[in-house]
């Protein structure tokens, strides 16, 4: 026979997933901010936008 998950278990797993995604997003944003600060520290006179036309 197959096991059936109770609604509480499924909701809890969904909440755990949301918590993991939330913390991963927060860590990613912090890392990207740190990278951007490091890039601007290297070139204090220039603004880095990422929208430069190189072609």
């Amino acid at each position: 026979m197959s096991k059936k998950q109770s609604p509480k278990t499924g909701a809890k797993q969904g909440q755990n997933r949301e918590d993991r995604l939330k913390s991963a997003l927060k860590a990613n944003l912090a890392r990207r901010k740190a990278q951007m600060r490091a890039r601007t520290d290297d070139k204090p006179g220039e603004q880095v936008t990422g929208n430069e036309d190189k072609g």
Side-chain angles (χ1 to χ4, degrees), residues 1-54:
M1 294 273 147
S2 63
K3 292 184 179 181
K4 292 186 179 181
Q5 293 182 354
S6 65
K8 290 181 183 179
T9 305
K12 187 174 181 182
Q13 288 177 350
Q15 185 66 33
N16 288 340
R17 181 177 183 267
E18 285 185 22
D19 289 342
R20 283 187 287 115
L21 290 175
K22 185 177 177 181
S23 64
L25 182 63
K26 190 173 182 179
N28 187 20
L29 183 60
R31 186 176 64 246
R32 290 178 63 186
K33 283 184 177 182
Q35 287 176 347
M36 195 60 141
R37 285 188 202 114
R39 289 178 186 163
T40 56
D41 288 344
D42 290 342
K43 300 178 183 177
E46 299 178 19
Q47 183 180 7
V48 178
T49 59
N51 294 331
E52 299 167 359
D53 187 15
K54 295 181 182 179

